């Protein structure tokens, strides 16, 4: 049975051997939720980049650009980090260069893995279906907040552990913790997360609507998969056959 | 209200400003449990050291020595990491130099704090009383396992958060997670932890008796407090007045 493990911070990635694994990068509020939303709404591909300067260079090449720092849209970019802006018509068929405080950084740190995909509550069942398809060891990498543990990414890992129960070996401490926290929180995720640090931070920025959206499960059926430099949408066969 | 926060791995300590804080180092299985046991049984003081070589140098100075690596007693030292060996008569009045895989390392990384103390389930109420006495911001540093998150140290942090509820500001993600995990686990800690990685690892070494002992709460009333290079036992006033 393949292994399911969870890394609670990008600062701990060096403790894991990524070779042969699928890494699922998660940054629920809001980078990976926005990525899933954009690719589900017709965005063709996303280039995750680490720095604002790097992102700006793509603007001069005619790409769409998205940049967020400390929860706010950085100036002089087309998009910020609100999933709603990723639903707009003008994203269709475009390529987007994107940088965020935590999420895109976590993707760059995961490049040694066999496959890197992007997860959110919005596509959690499709991520689970993809992982079942792959039959490889899995590491969920929580983007966290500036290196620290965060609850919403951990709860995503827990939701995934619930979906993969019996199919993946999950008896390691981080996965057990995520599993049990999700069990406590699942009946009302928004309420449970109302005390979480990043939720408080975002509430101060008046984006309750974004938070509510990002905590919905299975709104989209695509999994963003990293191919070369680009995240592209993929729909697992088992999900396709259902639709 | 002072802050209670939790750092899930020594690898994340650099993300926290330790100045002005009390750090509680915890390594339930078994370093900090053994330290508490030894000092409660008449050991005079403990020098936490990082390396086997450093520890050996203390042997040549006539100190007692304790060394554990990968869960086993290292050769040529007086003690390993089993709390029962710390109850023996020959420890009374002695100074012990001690090195363990995770616990003593975490202590060394915490030296920038105002105060460094050692916590275990065995003295959790005394640790809580000490923190109430101090009225400073607190960081619980979980020793983890070779840098990774572990459940038993997290549950200690959760138990402490329960005891300090209403007295310390605990609404940060790591403390909330520890608090909720402890709530799930508290009715039967040994059962809950039976799947934890390090418990499995220690069971393979046939030390179930040690695990059972280390999961008992409030067996001892002393708090090991770092003074200069030495951990010495301290009993909080509020605990003294009860006894």
């Amino acid at each position: 049975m393949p292994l399911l493990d969870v890394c609670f911070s990008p600062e701990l990635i060096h403790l894991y051997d990524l070779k042969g694994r699928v890494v699922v990068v998660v940054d629920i509020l809001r980078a990976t939720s926005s990525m899933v939303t954009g690719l589900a709404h017709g965005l063709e591909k996303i280039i995750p980049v680490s720095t604002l300067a790097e992102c700006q260079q793509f603007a001069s090449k005619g790409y769409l650009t998205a940049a967020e720092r400390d929860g706010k849209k950085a100036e002089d970019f087309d998009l910020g980090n609100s999933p709603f802006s990723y639903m707009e018509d003008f994203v269709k068929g475009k390529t987007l260069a994107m940088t965020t405080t935590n999420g895109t950084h976590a993707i760059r740190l995961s490049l040694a893995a066999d496959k890197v995909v992007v997860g959110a509550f919005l596509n959690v069942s499709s991520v689970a279906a993809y992982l079942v398809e792959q039959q490889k060891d899995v590491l969920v990498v929580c983007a966290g907040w500036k290196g620290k543990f965060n609850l919403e990414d951990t709860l995503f890992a827990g939701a995934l552990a619930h979906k993969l129960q019996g199919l993946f070996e999950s008896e390691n401490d981080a996965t057990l913790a995520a599993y049990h926290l999700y069990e406590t929180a699942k009946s009302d995720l928004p309420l449970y997360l109302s005390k979480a640090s990043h939720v408080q931070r975002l509430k101060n920025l008046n984006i309750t609507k974004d938070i509510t959206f990002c905590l919905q499960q299975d709104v989209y059926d695509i999994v963003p998969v990293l191919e070369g430099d680009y995240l592209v949408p993929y729909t697992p066969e088992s999900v396709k056959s259902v639709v």
Side-chain angles (χ1 to χ4, degrees), chain A:
Chain A
M1 213 186 278
L3 176 80
L4 175 65
D5 203 350
V6 183
C7 171
F8 284 136
S9 159
E11 304 263 340
L12 301 176
I13 285 191
H14 64 280
L15 300 171
Y16 298 84
D17 185 8
L18 301 184
K19 243 179 110 178
R21 293 211 193 190
V22 180
V23 164
V24 181
V25 174
V26 53
D27 185 1
I28 294 298
L29 297 174
R30 297 160 288 162
T32 61
S33 297
S34 292
M35 288 169 175
V36 170
T37 302
L39 291 171
H41 282 266
L43 192 64
E44 194 179 295
K45 46 189 195 284
I46 296 172
I47 314 178
V49 299
S50 294
T51 65
L52 292 172
E54 213 182 329
C55 200
Q56 219 127 26
Q57 286 174 0
F58 283 99
S60 62
K61 291 182 198 161
Y63 290 64
L64 275 182
T65 56
E68 168 268 348
R69 285 295 181 272
D70 295 321
K72 283 167 268 183
K73 177 176 174 298
E75 262 179 60
D76 303 324
F77 294 88
D78 302 312
L79 297 163
N81 207 8
S82 167
F84 291 102
S85 57
Y86 289 72
M87 298 173 188
E88 304 280 350
D89 266 353
F90 71 87
V91 307
K92 282 200 169 61
K94 297 278 172 46
T95 299
L96 175 74
M98 183 173 182
T99 180
T100 68
T101 310
N102 308 291
T104 55
H105 177 62
I107 293 173
R108 300 300 290 243
L109 290 176
S110 304
L111 297 179
D114 259 32
K115 300 273 183 190
V116 178
V117 303
V118 157
F121 285 114
L122 296 170
N123 72 339
V124 58
S125 290
S126 280
V127 170
Y130 175 86
L131 297 173
V132 170
E133 234 174 50
Q134 291 286 319
Q135 287 297 312
K136 289 181 181 176
D137 290 345
V138 172
L139 184 67
V140 180
V141 174
C142 298
W145 180 257
K146 297 187 177 179
K148 290 186 182 171
F149 172 90
N150 88 19
L151 270 174
E152 62 274 15
D153 298 344
T154 303
L155 291 178
F156 167 84
L160 200 59
H162 273 256
K163 292 199 180 294
L164 297 174
Q165 197 169 18
L167 302 169
F168 281 72
E169 159 62 42
S170 307
E171 295 194 352
N172 52 77
D173 289 28
T175 307
L176 288 168
Y179 182 95
H180 287 293
L181 287 170
Y182 181 70
E183 204 145 71
T184 303
K186 67 180 175 187
S187 65
D188 193 341
L189 280 187
L191 178 70
Y192 185 84
L193 283 169
S194 61
K195 288 180 177 178
S197 311
H198 194 46
V199 170
Q200 292 294 340
R201 205 176 289 124
L202 291 178
K203 274 189 185 157
N204 293 339
L205 299 171
N206 279 320
I207 36 186
T208 313
K209 202 179 145 204
D210 282 12
I211 300 171
T212 308
F213 180 77
C214 293
L215 297 180
Q216 297 174 103
Q217 294 197 24
D218 296 328
V219 174
Y220 303 119
D221 63 6
I222 61 109
V223 180
V225 177
L226 197 67
E227 308 237 329
D229 291 335
Y230 300 102
L231 285 165
V232 296
Y234 171 83
T235 307
E237 290 305 324
S238 61
V239 172
K240 259 187 205 158
S241 62
V242 171
V243 175

